[in-house]
Amino acid sequence: MKKIFLLLAIYMIFSYNQGFAGVISGKVHHDELNNKNTIVDSKTQKALSNAKITIPELNYTTFSDKDGTFRLNADVSDKTVLFVEKEGYKVFSLTIDNSVLKSPLKLGIEQTNPFDMQITEGIIHLGDNLFSDNSANSTDFRLSAKGHYLSQKFKRPQGSDKHNVVVNIGTIIGLDTKDAKERGQNQIAKVYSSPAEVFVNGHKIGKLTLNGDNQEILIPNSILKENNELIISTGRNLFQTEYIDYDDIELANVRIEVKEKQYYARH
Ligand SMILES: [Ca+2]
């Protein structure tokens, strides 16, 4: 009887190990399969080869192959910014976290409009480097803050008389506003910050209350000059009265774009 129990125990250990090994290899297989991501032209859906894919905060760079596919062999845990760059196309940026490893990405990138202007390169951290681990930012910003606002000059884009000019915030991470908190974008229990604000030539043209990609703000034609200044200013913790605690945020891929007028009429 004892022998049978022993054999049973050995069998159970053996099958447990087998099962365990099966789970691991299954997971690797799953990731490899789903890690095959694609870059396409957003209009034609044609696969695009040799697009450069980077995750600056992880020092990760790869290129799409001849079928437009790429694997993301990066250890993505916290929220961070993924960029796609290709000549003739607008810089594309996307907020990613570890969920990107669960399903394949199909990223459509848009051809450059000759009047569009790229305002920022890489990732810009605004704030004061004081932030909670529960904030909506990546838990460990790799870049130290460049101050609480960004200021960039830009020329009036051609075609601005007939078309709308917008500021496009490619990606924003880390806003700890009331809206961001209510949408579950952070884990902070009580406090929140005022929104980030966007100014052109001293006029407030909009505010950013939610994290995400491709947020557009219209620049009223009446305030555009030949030479313009764009300011994006981060908010403040509204519950800290003893000192100013700026909301630590990451901005990427800010562009000035010229759009068809109907675009805004429809929305
Ligand atoms: Ca702060």
Side-chain angles (χ1 to χ4, degrees), residues 34-39 70 72 82 94 96 100 103-107:
N34 286 335
N35 234 348
K36 207 169 178 188
N37 309 292
T38 322
I39 308 284
F70 70 97
L72 211 51
L82 175 143
L94 180 73
I96 57 165
V100 297
S103 55
L105 297 169
K106 185 178 178 188
L107 306 177

Side-chain angles (χ1 to χ4, degrees), residues 83 91-93 118 120 122 168-171 214 251-255:
F83 290 93
V91 175
F92 175 93
S93 63
Q118 190 73 30
T120 61
N168 186 312
I169 317 289
T171 295
N214 283 316
L251 274 179
N253 197 16
V254 179
R255 307 183 300 272

Side-chain angles (χ1 to χ4, degrees), residues 224-243:
L224 273 174
K225 301 175 189 170
E226 197 47 39
N227 294 295
N228 303 280
E229 184 185 27
L230 168 72
I231 288 182
I232 301 176
S233 162
T234 192
R236 301 171 178 196
N237 180 345
L238 295 171
F239 295 79
Q240 181 50 269
T241 49
E242 285 163 27
Y243 58 93

Side-chain angles (χ1 to χ4, degrees), residues 1-236:
M1 196 68 173
K2 244 184 192 172
K3 232 180 202 170
I4 291 170
F5 276 128
L6 188 65
L7 277 173
L8 194 64
I10 290 170
Y11 174 76
M12 280 170 72
I13 290 166
F14 182 71
S15 55
Y16 175 75
N17 280 342
Q18 282 245 314
F20 192 59
V23 170
I24 288 184
S25 66
K27 185 172 182 288
V28 170
H29 178 67
H30 176 82
D31 283 353
E32 276 179 357
L33 192 76
N34 286 335
N35 234 348
K36 207 169 178 188
N37 309 292
T38 322
I39 308 284
V40 298
D41 180 302
S42 63
K43 214 171 220 174
T44 65
Q45 297 292 304
K46 193 183 134 220
L48 296 171
S49 63
N50 207 34
K52 185 183 179 189
I53 298 108
T54 54
I55 307 173
E57 288 182 308
L58 300 179
N59 287 320
Y60 183 80
T61 302
T62 190
F63 291 85
S64 59
D65 64 14
K66 61 175 172 33
D67 302 317
T69 64
F70 70 97
R71 286 176 196 280
L72 211 51
N73 295 318
D75 187 15
V76 182
S77 48
D78 301 322
K79 283 194 181 77
T80 188
V81 188
L82 175 143
F83 290 93
V84 181
E85 289 162 89
K86 183 171 170 69
E87 214 185 316
Y89 286 84
K90 292 179 189 181
V91 175
F92 175 93
S93 63
L94 180 73
T95 310
I96 57 165
D97 58 22
N98 56 9
S99 67
V100 297
L101 302 174
K102 294 190 182 115
S103 55
L105 297 169
K106 185 178 178 188
L107 306 177
I109 63 174
E110 244 180 287
Q111 290 194 22
T112 319
N113 175 328
F115 304 138
D116 293 347
M117 285 178 275
Q118 190 73 30
I119 294 285
T120 61
E121 263 181 53
I123 301 170
I124 290 159
H125 176 178
L126 300 180
D128 50 22
N129 300 315
L130 295 169
F131 50 88
S132 149
D133 284 349
N134 294 326
S135 150
N137 39 254
S138 43
T139 49
D140 185 11
F141 280 127
R142 266 64 167 186
L143 302 161
S144 61
K146 286 206 161 64
H148 67 275
Y149 68 94
L150 164 83
S151 162
Q152 293 286 330
K153 302 272 195 310
F154 67 95
K155 294 258 182 209
R156 181 203 293 268
Q158 285 183 51
S160 64
D161 49 338
K162 293 194 190 74
H163 300 284
N164 282 322
V165 182
V166 301
V167 182
N168 186 312
I169 317 289
T171 295
I172 189 162
I173 299 176
L175 284 170
D176 289 328
T177 59
K178 192 165 186 265
D179 277 5
K181 192 170 92 76
E182 283 169 0
R183 297 274 187 105
Q185 293 187 335
N186 69 23
Q187 268 75 51
I188 296 174
K190 290 197 179 78
V191 305
Y192 50 83
S193 297
S194 56
E197 295 180 317
V198 183
F199 301 85
V200 169
N201 299 331
H203 299 266
K204 184 173 152 186
I205 60 164
K207 56 186 185 176
L208 300 161
T209 65
L210 288 173
N211 298 289
D213 304 306
N214 283 316
Q215 302 191 53
E216 281 183 353
I217 297 171
L218 178 69
I219 307 177
N221 213 307
S222 57
I223 64 168
L224 273 174
K225 301 175 189 170
E226 197 47 39
N227 294 295
N228 303 280
E229 184 185 27
L230 168 72
I231 288 182
I232 301 176
S233 162
T234 192
R236 301 171 178 196

